[in-house]
Amino acid sequence: ILCGCRLLHIRLSLHGIPDTFHDVEIRALSGKPTQSPRRLNTFFGVMVPTVLSMFSIVLFLRTGFVVGHAGLLQGLLMLIVAYTIISLTILSICAISTNGAIQGGGAYYMVSRSLGPEFGGSIGLMFFLAKVFACGEYVLGLVEAILDIFGADPGKFPGVKVLPQGYWYTVLYSSVILLLCLLVCLVGAHIYSRTAFAILLVVTVSLLSIFISSVAVKPLDFIITHQGPNNQTLRYNTSYTGFSATTMRKNLGADYSVDYSTNSLMSFATVFAVLFTSCTGIMAGANMSGELKTPSVSIPKGTIAAVFYTFTVYLLLFLVVSATCDRTLLIQDYGLFQRINLWPPFVTIGIYCASLSAAMCAMIGASRILHALAVDHLFGLPLAPAAITSKSGNPWMAVLYTWGLAQCVVFAGQLNAVAGLVTVFYLLLYAAVDLACLALEWASAPNFRPTFQLFSWHTCLLGIVSCLVMMFVINPVYSSGSIVLLLLLLLFLHYRSPTSSWGYISQALIFHQVRKYLLMLDVRKDHVKFWRPQVLLMVSNPRSSCQLIQFVNQLKKGGLYVLGHVQLGDLDSLPSDPIQTQYNFWLSLVDKLGVKAFVDLTLSPSVRQGTQHLLRITGLGGMKPNTLVLGFYDNCTPDDFFLQDSAFCHSSVGQSSDGEYNFGVDLPSLQAHFPPVRHVESPRWLSTEEYVGIISDATKMNKNVCLGRYFYQLQGEDKGSKTDGSERTIDVWPLNLLQPGSCDYQDVCSLFLLQMACVLNMSSKWRHARMRIFLNVETGSCDQGWVVNEETFRDLLKKLRIRASIKIVPWDSVVQHFALPEGERSKEPAPMAALSEDFLYAVNRMLTEHSSQAAVRFLYLPQPPALRSQSQQYLSQLDAVTSGLGPTLLIHGVTPVTCTDL
C-alpha cells in the first residue's frame, strides 16, 4: 500500500495536482492525522522574512557606499524615491491579496490569476530569475564580508588571514555557501522559518551596537589600502570624527568617484541600483502565501509594518554615517561599521546572519515560484520536473533548478556587477503587479472588492510609470533587454495557447470596452457603402453541417457570425433550462472548426418559432444578423463530418491534444452530445411548410436569405487548409432562372447576389479564385436589346469594382419549355405558376453544362410563395433546378448593399 501511495504521489505531482491533495491522500491511507501546511502568522510568516530580505547585505555593507558617493541629500532622495515606488506597489499587493484566497506562488499567483497565463507566466519566469540573481547577489555579499575578516589581503580588518583571495577563490567560496543554502532548502522551508526570528534578533542586536557605537566610540584615524592597477597598492588616509556638524556639512553634496571593487565610475543611476536592492524584499512575505494561515490578512499587515520599520532604520543609519564618517571612509571601505564598532564581531555576525538568511529566503522564494509555474504547465516539459515534491510538500526539484542557476550567477564575482540586473527585473515585476491591480480596477468587475481600500487607479498608474522610468534611469541596456525578454515570453506563451480556468482580466476589459463601443454603434448611422454580411446560420446537427459552417465563415467579411440552433421543447414541462448546459459543447465545436462565430441557442415548441426568436433577439445594438443561412431541404443522406476531419481526434478531459485547456469538454463527450446523422427513414423535425415559412418570415423581417446545398462536397475549407483558391472557380447566375421574363440584372436581389460572390472572392481561401458571371439571353428574338444589356452590365461591374469574366449563355432552347397553354397561364409570377418538368430539367441541364467544374455556384432564389399550400411545389422546383450541381448557394436579397459613390 505504501509503495502504491508513493507511486500515486509521483504521478499526481507530474500532473500538477496541488501537493496538499497528495498529502491528504497519503496520510489518510497510512492512518496518520492530516496537518494543514498553513501554519505561519503575520509576524513570523510575513514581517520577519520581509525585514530580513530588505536588510540583507545592503544594510551593513552598502549604506556608507550610498552616502559617500551620493551625499546625504541625494541619498535621502534615493531612499524616498525607492520607498515611494515600493509603497505604490505595496498598495497594489494589498488590494489584490485582500480580494480572494491566495495560493502558493506569491506575486506570480497574483499576476497570473489577474492578467491571465501569458502575462502571468512571463512575469513569473522573470520574477524567478530576479530571485535567482538576488540569491547570487546575497551570497557574493556574504563572501565579501567573510574575506574582509579572513581574507589574505593585509589592508582589510585585523583577523585570521587564512583565506586566499582572487576571482576563482570568490567563486569557490560562493559555491560552498550556495551548497549550504541548498542543503537547508532541501530539508524544507520550516527550518528557515524556525530560525528566522532568531536571525532577526541577532541583526537587531547588531544594529543597536552600531547606534550605540556612534555615540560611545571616540574619533579614530585609519589608513585604508587597496590593490590598484598593475599591482600597485593604493593608500587612503581617512577618519571617524564622531557626531560633527562639519562632517555632515561636507557629506551633504554628491561626490561620485570610482568604485574600488569594480573600478568603474559611479553615478546616480548605479548607486540607486545598489540601494534599490534593499527594497526588493517586499515580496518575501507574499512568496510564503502557501504557508500562511490567512494570507489575505497577513500579507498587507506584515508587509506594511516591515516597510515602515526598515525605512526608519535606513533613515537613521544615513543620518548617523553622514554625521560621523569622513567621505573617504564611506567610499573606500564597505565594512566601515566594523571599524567603528565597540566590538566588531557584533557587526560581523549581523552581516553573516542577514546575508545568509536573505540568500536562503531568495532560494526558497524562487523555488516556490518555479514550482507554481511547473504545476500550471505553462512552459511544458522543460519545467515539468520542477513540479515534483517530497512527501512533506517541499518542491526539491525546483530547489535544484534554483541552485543550479544561482551557481551560474556567482561567476559574476562582484556584488555591484549583479545589482543593476536584479533591480531592473524587480522593477519590471513591480510594474506588472501595479498593472494587474490597475486592470482589475479599470475592469470595474463587481467581484473586485478588496477589503484594503487605500489605493486607486491613480496609485497603480503612478507606480507603473515610476517603475518603468527608474528602470531606464538605472540601466537602459538591461531595461530594454528585460522588456524584449518579456515580449518574447509573451509571444511564446500566446502561441502555445495555455488556456486556463483562472478567469481572465482581459475578458473583463474587453467586455467593458465592447459595451462602450456597442453603445456608440448607432444603427441610425448605417450607410450602404459600409455594409457587411452579418450572418445567422441555423444548424440542426453539426455532424452534417461542418463544411457549410466553415464556408459561411469565409462569407462574413469581418461581420457578425452566429451559429443558431433550436431545441424543441417547452420550458413549462421541464425542471430546468436544458440550453444552458449545451453552450460549452457548441463553443468547443467552434474552437475545433477554427471559425470566428458566436453561438446562440433557444428552446421552442417549433423550429420556425425558434428561428423567429433568434432573428429578432440575436446580437446587440448595431451588431444584429441581416442574413439568414439555411441548409437545403432535401432527402439526401448526410455524411458524418466528425468521422472525416482530423481535428476531431482523441484528447483527454481538461487538456486537448495540443495542450489547450478544453473547459471540461473532451472529444468523446463532444461526439456524444451531438446525435448521429439522420437516416433516410428517420422522421424529420421540420416539415416543408415550416421550412418555406422560415424563408418567408425572414424576408418579412427584412433579412436576406441564403440556402446552401451539397456543401458536404466542398473541400479545403478546414482551418488546416493552405489553399488560396487559385484552382477554384466561382460561378454567378444573377438572373431569376425560374422567371425568364425578368431580364433585370440590376434589381436588389441580383446585386446582393453579386456582392456576396465578391465578398467570397475577397476571403483568404478564395482570394485567387476566378469569378464568372453568366448572362442568359434570348438570341432568337428579333429584339437585340440583350446586346445593350450586356454593355450596361459591363459598365455596372466596372462601377462596382467587381473583377469577373462575363459569359453569354443563349437559353432559347430552355425558354421554349417555359411557354404554357393559354388556358393554363397564371397571373402570378413564376415559380408559383405550374412550371413544366421539361423546363426545370432544361434549366438544370444548362447549369450542369456550364458550371459543372465550378467550386461553388451562386443562384437567384425566387420569392417564397404566400400560400402555404404551394410550399411543396416551391421546394420541388428548387430541388429540380439544383439537382446534382455540387456546392450551390441560393440567394434572395432584400436590402441594397452596393454603392458606386466614394
Side-chain angles (χ1 to χ4, degrees), residues 585-599:
F585 294 96
W586 283 85
L587 292 174
S588 297
L589 173 73
V590 169
D591 293 337
K592 285 284 187 184
L593 295 177
V595 297
K596 297 178 180 179
F598 298 94
V599 172

mmCIF file with all atom_site columns, all heavy atoms in Angstrom, residues 585-599:
data_model
loop_
_atom_site.group_PDB
_atom_site.id
_atom_site.type_symbol
_atom_site.label_atom_id
_atom_site.label_alt_id
_atom_site.label_comp_id
_atom_site.label_asym_id
_atom_site.label_entity_id
_atom_site.label_seq_id
_atom_site.pdbx_PDB_ins_code
_atom_site.Cartn_x
_atom_site.Cartn_y
_atom_site.Cartn_z
_atom_site.occupancy
_atom_site.B_iso_or_equiv
_atom_site.pdbx_formal_charge
_atom_site.auth_seq_id
_atom_site.auth_comp_id
_atom_site.auth_asym_id
_atom_site.auth_atom_id
_atom_site.pdbx_PDB_model_num
ATOM 1   N N   . PHE A 1 585 ? -20.449 22.816 -25.270 1.00 0.00 ? 585 PHE A N   1
ATOM 2   C CA  . PHE A 1 585 ? -20.235 21.870 -26.362 1.00 0.00 ? 585 PHE A CA  1
ATOM 3   C C   . PHE A 1 585 ? -20.186 22.605 -27.708 1.00 0.00 ? 585 PHE A C   1
ATOM 4   O O   . PHE A 1 585 ? -19.330 22.310 -28.557 1.00 0.00 ? 585 PHE A O   1
ATOM 5   C CB  . PHE A 1 585 ? -21.348 20.824 -26.372 1.00 0.00 ? 585 PHE A CB  1
ATOM 6   C CG  . PHE A 1 585 ? -21.349 19.934 -25.170 1.00 0.00 ? 585 PHE A CG  1
ATOM 7   C CD1 . PHE A 1 585 ? -22.166 20.203 -24.080 1.00 0.00 ? 585 PHE A CD1 1
ATOM 8   C CD2 . PHE A 1 585 ? -20.515 18.822 -25.111 1.00 0.00 ? 585 PHE A CD2 1
ATOM 9   C CE1 . PHE A 1 585 ? -22.168 19.383 -22.960 1.00 0.00 ? 585 PHE A CE1 1
ATOM 10  C CE2 . PHE A 1 585 ? -20.508 17.996 -23.997 1.00 0.00 ? 585 PHE A CE2 1
ATOM 11  C CZ  . PHE A 1 585 ? -21.335 18.271 -22.919 1.00 0.00 ? 585 PHE A CZ  1
ATOM 12  N N   . TRP A 1 586 ? -21.085 23.553 -27.889 1.00 0.00 ? 586 TRP A N   1
ATOM 13  C CA  . TRP A 1 586 ? -21.096 24.302 -29.143 1.00 0.00 ? 586 TRP A CA  1
ATOM 14  C C   . TRP A 1 586 ? -19.862 25.198 -29.257 1.00 0.00 ? 586 TRP A C   1
ATOM 15  O O   . TRP A 1 586 ? -19.295 25.340 -30.351 1.00 0.00 ? 586 TRP A O   1
ATOM 16  C CB  . TRP A 1 586 ? -22.383 25.128 -29.241 1.00 0.00 ? 586 TRP A CB  1
ATOM 17  C CG  . TRP A 1 586 ? -23.583 24.304 -29.611 1.00 0.00 ? 586 TRP A CG  1
ATOM 18  C CD1 . TRP A 1 586 ? -24.374 23.602 -28.762 1.00 0.00 ? 586 TRP A CD1 1
ATOM 19  C CD2 . TRP A 1 586 ? -24.107 24.096 -30.926 1.00 0.00 ? 586 TRP A CD2 1
ATOM 20  N NE1 . TRP A 1 586 ? -25.380 22.965 -29.459 1.00 0.00 ? 586 TRP A NE1 1
ATOM 21  C CE2 . TRP A 1 586 ? -25.240 23.252 -30.786 1.00 0.00 ? 586 TRP A CE2 1
ATOM 22  C CE3 . TRP A 1 586 ? -23.757 24.539 -32.188 1.00 0.00 ? 586 TRP A CE3 1
ATOM 23  C CZ2 . TRP A 1 586 ? -25.996 22.843 -31.885 1.00 0.00 ? 586 TRP A CZ2 1
ATOM 24  C CZ3 . TRP A 1 586 ? -24.512 24.142 -33.283 1.00 0.00 ? 586 TRP A CZ3 1
ATOM 25  C CH2 . TRP A 1 586 ? -25.610 23.300 -33.132 1.00 0.00 ? 586 TRP A CH2 1
ATOM 26  N N   . LEU A 1 587 ? -19.454 25.811 -28.170 1.00 0.00 ? 587 LEU A N   1
ATOM 27  C CA  . LEU A 1 587 ? -18.250 26.649 -28.215 1.00 0.00 ? 587 LEU A CA  1
ATOM 28  C C   . LEU A 1 587 ? -17.007 25.806 -28.468 1.00 0.00 ? 587 LEU A C   1
ATOM 29  O O   . LEU A 1 587 ? -16.083 26.238 -29.161 1.00 0.00 ? 587 LEU A O   1
ATOM 30  C CB  . LEU A 1 587 ? -18.114 27.423 -26.909 1.00 0.00 ? 587 LEU A CB  1
ATOM 31  C CG  . LEU A 1 587 ? -19.179 28.505 -26.680 1.00 0.00 ? 587 LEU A CG  1
ATOM 32  C CD1 . LEU A 1 587 ? -19.045 29.102 -25.294 1.00 0.00 ? 587 LEU A CD1 1
ATOM 33  C CD2 . LEU A 1 587 ? -19.089 29.603 -27.735 1.00 0.00 ? 587 LEU A CD2 1
ATOM 34  N N   . SER A 1 588 ? -16.972 24.595 -27.923 1.00 0.00 ? 588 SER A N   1
ATOM 35  C CA  . SER A 1 588 ? -15.858 23.693 -28.215 1.00 0.00 ? 588 SER A CA  1
ATOM 36  C C   . SER A 1 588 ? -15.870 23.295 -29.691 1.00 0.00 ? 588 SER A C   1
ATOM 37  O O   . SER A 1 588 ? -14.808 23.145 -30.306 1.00 0.00 ? 588 SER A O   1
ATOM 38  C CB  . SER A 1 588 ? -15.945 22.449 -27.329 1.00 0.00 ? 588 SER A CB  1
ATOM 39  O OG  . SER A 1 588 ? -15.812 22.794 -25.970 1.00 0.00 ? 588 SER A OG  1
ATOM 40  N N   . LEU A 1 589 ? -17.060 23.116 -30.252 1.00 0.00 ? 589 LEU A N   1
ATOM 41  C CA  . LEU A 1 589 ? -17.159 22.840 -31.686 1.00 0.00 ? 589 LEU A CA  1
ATOM 42  C C   . LEU A 1 589 ? -16.594 23.996 -32.510 1.00 0.00 ? 589 LEU A C   1
ATOM 43  O O   . LEU A 1 589 ? -15.848 23.786 -33.486 1.00 0.00 ? 589 LEU A O   1
ATOM 44  C CB  . LEU A 1 589 ? -18.626 22.591 -32.054 1.00 0.00 ? 589 LEU A CB  1
ATOM 45  C CG  . LEU A 1 589 ? -18.921 22.448 -33.558 1.00 0.00 ? 589 LEU A CG  1
ATOM 46  C CD1 . LEU A 1 589 ? -18.414 21.107 -34.063 1.00 0.00 ? 589 LEU A CD1 1
ATOM 47  C CD2 . LEU A 1 589 ? -20.407 22.606 -33.842 1.00 0.00 ? 589 LEU A CD2 1
ATOM 48  N N   . VAL A 1 590 ? -16.927 25.226 -32.110 1.00 0.00 ? 590 VAL A N   1
ATOM 49  C CA  . VAL A 1 590 ? -16.393 26.403 -32.798 1.00 0.00 ? 590 VAL A CA  1
ATOM 50  C C   . VAL A 1 590 ? -14.871 26.419 -32.730 1.00 0.00 ? 590 VAL A C   1
ATOM 51  O O   . VAL A 1 590 ? -14.190 26.714 -33.724 1.00 0.00 ? 590 VAL A O   1
ATOM 52  C CB  . VAL A 1 590 ? -16.993 27.688 -32.184 1.00 0.00 ? 590 VAL A CB  1
ATOM 53  C CG1 . VAL A 1 590 ? -16.256 28.920 -32.678 1.00 0.00 ? 590 VAL A CG1 1
ATOM 54  C CG2 . VAL A 1 590 ? -18.473 27.792 -32.526 1.00 0.00 ? 590 VAL A CG2 1
ATOM 55  N N   . ASP A 1 591 ? -14.317 26.091 -31.563 1.00 0.00 ? 591 ASP A N   1
ATOM 56  C CA  . ASP A 1 591 ? -12.862 26.048 -31.421 1.00 0.00 ? 591 ASP A CA  1
ATOM 57  C C   . ASP A 1 591 ? -12.259 24.976 -32.320 1.00 0.00 ? 591 ASP A C   1
ATOM 58  O O   . ASP A 1 591 ? -11.217 25.197 -32.952 1.00 0.00 ? 591 ASP A O   1
ATOM 59  C CB  . ASP A 1 591 ? -12.482 25.776 -29.960 1.00 0.00 ? 591 ASP A CB  1
ATOM 60  C CG  . ASP A 1 591 ? -12.862 26.916 -29.043 1.00 0.00 ? 591 ASP A CG  1
ATOM 61  O OD1 . ASP A 1 591 ? -13.004 28.047 -29.537 1.00 0.00 ? 591 ASP A OD1 1
ATOM 62  O OD2 . ASP A 1 591 ? -13.024 26.684 -27.828 1.00 0.00 ? 591 ASP A OD2 1
ATOM 63  N N   . LYS A 1 592 ? -12.882 23.811 -32.368 1.00 0.00 ? 592 LYS A N   1
ATOM 64  C CA  . LYS A 1 592 ? -12.371 22.718 -33.202 1.00 0.00 ? 592 LYS A CA  1
ATOM 65  C C   . LYS A 1 592 ? -12.361 23.093 -34.679 1.00 0.00 ? 592 LYS A C   1
ATOM 66  O O   . LYS A 1 592 ? -11.419 22.795 -35.406 1.00 0.00 ? 592 LYS A O   1
ATOM 67  C CB  . LYS A 1 592 ? -13.227 21.471 -33.000 1.00 0.00 ? 592 LYS A CB  1
ATOM 68  C CG  . LYS A 1 592 ? -12.991 20.735 -31.701 1.00 0.00 ? 592 LYS A CG  1
ATOM 69  C CD  . LYS A 1 592 ? -11.704 19.933 -31.744 1.00 0.00 ? 592 LYS A CD  1
ATOM 70  C CE  . LYS A 1 592 ? -11.544 19.069 -30.513 1.00 0.00 ? 592 LYS A CE  1
ATOM 71  N NZ  . LYS A 1 592 ? -10.247 18.372 -30.505 1.00 0.00 ? 592 LYS A NZ  1
ATOM 72  N N   . LEU A 1 593 ? -13.417 23.738 -35.121 1.00 0.00 ? 593 LEU A N   1
ATOM 73  C CA  . LEU A 1 593 ? -13.528 24.096 -36.533 1.00 0.00 ? 593 LEU A CA  1
ATOM 74  C C   . LEU A 1 593 ? -12.698 25.322 -36.887 1.00 0.00 ? 593 LEU A C   1
ATOM 75  O O   . LEU A 1 593 ? -12.430 25.573 -38.061 1.00 0.00 ? 593 LEU A O   1
ATOM 76  C CB  . LEU A 1 593 ? -14.995 24.348 -36.895 1.00 0.00 ? 593 LEU A CB  1
ATOM 77  C CG  . LEU A 1 593 ? -15.927 23.139 -36.800 1.00 0.00 ? 593 LEU A CG  1
ATOM 78  C CD1 . LEU A 1 593 ? -17.363 23.537 -37.109 1.00 0.00 ? 593 LEU A CD1 1
ATOM 79  C CD2 . LEU A 1 593 ? -15.480 22.036 -37.752 1.00 0.00 ? 593 LEU A CD2 1
ATOM 80  N N   . GLY A 1 594 ? -12.298 26.103 -35.880 1.00 0.00 ? 594 GLY A N   1
ATOM 81  C CA  . GLY A 1 594 ? -11.476 27.280 -36.144 1.00 0.00 ? 594 GLY A CA  1
ATOM 82  C C   . GLY A 1 594 ? -12.222 28.403 -36.815 1.00 0.00 ? 594 GLY A C   1
ATOM 83  O O   . GLY A 1 594 ? -11.622 29.176 -37.580 1.00 0.00 ? 594 GLY A O   1
ATOM 84  N N   . VAL A 1 595 ? -13.526 28.538 -36.557 1.00 0.00 ? 595 VAL A N   1
ATOM 85  C CA  . VAL A 1 595 ? -14.316 29.613 -37.152 1.00 0.00 ? 595 VAL A CA  1
ATOM 86  C C   . VAL A 1 595 ? -14.523 30.717 -36.120 1.00 0.00 ? 595 VAL A C   1
ATOM 87  O O   . VAL A 1 595 ? -14.505 30.471 -34.910 1.00 0.00 ? 595 VAL A O   1
ATOM 88  C CB  . VAL A 1 595 ? -15.680 29.102 -37.667 1.00 0.00 ? 595 VAL A CB  1
ATOM 89  C CG1 . VAL A 1 595 ? -15.487 28.096 -38.781 1.00 0.00 ? 595 VAL A CG1 1
ATOM 90  C CG2 . VAL A 1 595 ? -16.502 28.486 -36.541 1.00 0.00 ? 595 VAL A CG2 1
ATOM 91  N N   . LYS A 1 596 ? -14.711 31.927 -36.616 1.00 0.00 ? 596 LYS A N   1
ATOM 92  C CA  . LYS A 1 596 ? -14.915 33.072 -35.730 1.00 0.00 ? 596 LYS A CA  1
ATOM 93  C C   . LYS A 1 596 ? -16.413 33.341 -35.622 1.00 0.00 ? 596 LYS A C   1
ATOM 94  O O   . LYS A 1 596 ? -16.968 34.177 -36.339 1.00 0.00 ? 596 LYS A O   1
ATOM 95  C CB  . LYS A 1 596 ? -14.178 34.294 -36.272 1.00 0.00 ? 596 LYS A CB  1
ATOM 96  C CG  . LYS A 1 596 ? -12.672 34.103 -36.334 1.00 0.00 ? 596 LYS A CG  1
ATOM 97  C CD  . LYS A 1 596 ? -11.975 35.309 -36.925 1.00 0.00 ? 596 LYS A CD  1
ATOM 98  C CE  . LYS A 1 596 ? -10.474 35.095 -36.980 1.00 0.00 ? 596 LYS A CE  1
ATOM 99  N NZ  . LYS A 1 596 ? -9.766  36.245 -37.587 1.00 0.00 ? 596 LYS A NZ  1
ATOM 100 N N   . ALA A 1 597 ? -17.044 32.591 -34.749 1.00 0.00 ? 597 ALA A N   1
ATOM 101 C CA  . ALA A 1 597 ? -18.501 32.638 -34.666 1.00 0.00 ? 597 ALA A CA  1
ATOM 102 C C   . ALA A 1 597 ? -18.955 32.659 -33.216 1.00 0.00 ? 597 ALA A C   1
ATOM 103 O O   . ALA A 1 597 ? -18.274 32.144 -32.318 1.00 0.00 ? 597 ALA A O   1
ATOM 104 C CB  . ALA A 1 597 ? -19.108 31.432 -35.381 1.00 0.00 ? 597 ALA A CB  1
ATOM 105 N N   . PHE A 1 598 ? -20.106 33.270 -33.003 1.00 0.00 ? 598 PHE A N   1
ATOM 106 C CA  . PHE A 1 598 ? -20.803 33.205 -31.730 1.00 0.00 ? 598 PHE A CA  1
ATOM 107 C C   . PHE A 1 598 ? -21.795 32.043 -31.787 1.00 0.00 ? 598 PHE A C   1
ATOM 108 O O   . PHE A 1 598 ? -22.052 31.479 -32.862 1.00 0.00 ? 598 PHE A O   1
ATOM 109 C CB  . PHE A 1 598 ? -21.550 34.508 -31.440 1.00 0.00 ? 598 PHE A CB  1
ATOM 110 C CG  . PHE A 1 598 ? -20.654 35.710 -31.316 1.00 0.00 ? 598 PHE A CG  1
ATOM 111 C CD1 . PHE A 1 598 ? -20.400 36.528 -32.406 1.00 0.00 ? 598 PHE A CD1 1
ATOM 112 C CD2 . PHE A 1 598 ? -20.064 36.024 -30.103 1.00 0.00 ? 598 PHE A CD2 1
ATOM 113 C CE1 . PHE A 1 598 ? -19.578 37.638 -32.301 1.00 0.00 ? 598 PHE A CE1 1
ATOM 114 C CE2 . PHE A 1 598 ? -19.236 37.131 -29.983 1.00 0.00 ? 598 PHE A CE2 1
ATOM 115 C CZ  . PHE A 1 598 ? -18.995 37.934 -31.083 1.00 0.00 ? 598 PHE A CZ  1
ATOM 116 N N   . VAL A 1 599 ? -22.353 31.721 -30.648 1.00 0.00 ? 599 VAL A N   1
ATOM 117 C CA  . VAL A 1 599 ? -23.344 30.648 -30.579 1.00 0.00 ? 599 VAL A CA  1
ATOM 118 C C   . VAL A 1 599 ? -24.572 31.186 -29.869 1.00 0.00 ? 599 VAL A C   1
ATOM 119 O O   . VAL A 1 599 ? -24.462 31.852 -28.835 1.00 0.00 ? 599 VAL A O   1
ATOM 120 C CB  . VAL A 1 599 ? -22.782 29.421 -29.829 1.00 0.00 ? 599 VAL A CB  1
ATOM 121 C CG1 . VAL A 1 599 ? -23.878 28.396 -29.602 1.00 0.00 ? 599 VAL A CG1 1
ATOM 122 C CG2 . VAL A 1 599 ? -21.625 28.807 -30.597 1.00 0.00 ? 599 VAL A CG2 1
#
